[in-house]
Amino acid sequence: MTTATLFQWVKLKQDVPNSPVKKGDTGVVLDNLPPTNKQPESGYTLEVFKNGETLDVISVPISWVTPLPEIWGDSQYAPTEIDVKALD
């Protein structure tokens, strides 16, 4: 399984319960989370964006996201230039 680095963009593979975040939304990795007794899979804390605004900050297992090649703040990419449709 490919893992994402801090500030890397990711695409959600599924809806997030109790959140407005839906499958296909994109976010930035803010933190890596170790496994716990209740959650045996490592995870990420993500800031998810929609139309240039923060939609939510969530924590999800790493299997719920697909890493994208873009890194937040990299002058080569702007959030509006991410083509997530190419991954579908």
Side-chain angles (χ1 to χ4, degrees):
M1 177 181 301
T2 303
T3 57
T5 60
L6 291 180
F7 306 113
Q8 185 170 357
W9 284 92
V10 294
K11 178 180 175 180
L12 272 291
K13 293 181 181 179
Q14 63 187 61
D15 293 352
V16 177
N18 303 314
S19 171
V21 177
K22 303 295 181 203
K23 178 181 179 180
D25 287 345
T26 56
V28 174
V29 176
L30 300 178
D31 197 10
N32 293 302
L33 304 172
T36 66
N37 290 336
K38 288 187 175 184
Q39 177 57 46
E41 183 180 354
S42 298
Y44 300 124
T45 299
L46 307 174
E47 183 171 1
V48 180
F49 297 90
K50 192 142 209 163
N51 300 322
E53 299 288 328
T54 299
L55 180 62
D56 203 355
V57 176
I58 58 170
S59 296
V60 296
I62 61 174
S63 62
W64 287 25
V65 302
T66 300
L68 299 173
E70 295 83 8
I71 303 294
W72 181 81
D74 187 338
S75 61
Q76 187 176 14
Y77 300 102
T80 57
E81 295 174 352
I82 295 175
D83 184 13
V84 296
K85 291 180 183 173
L87 297 174
D88 289 335

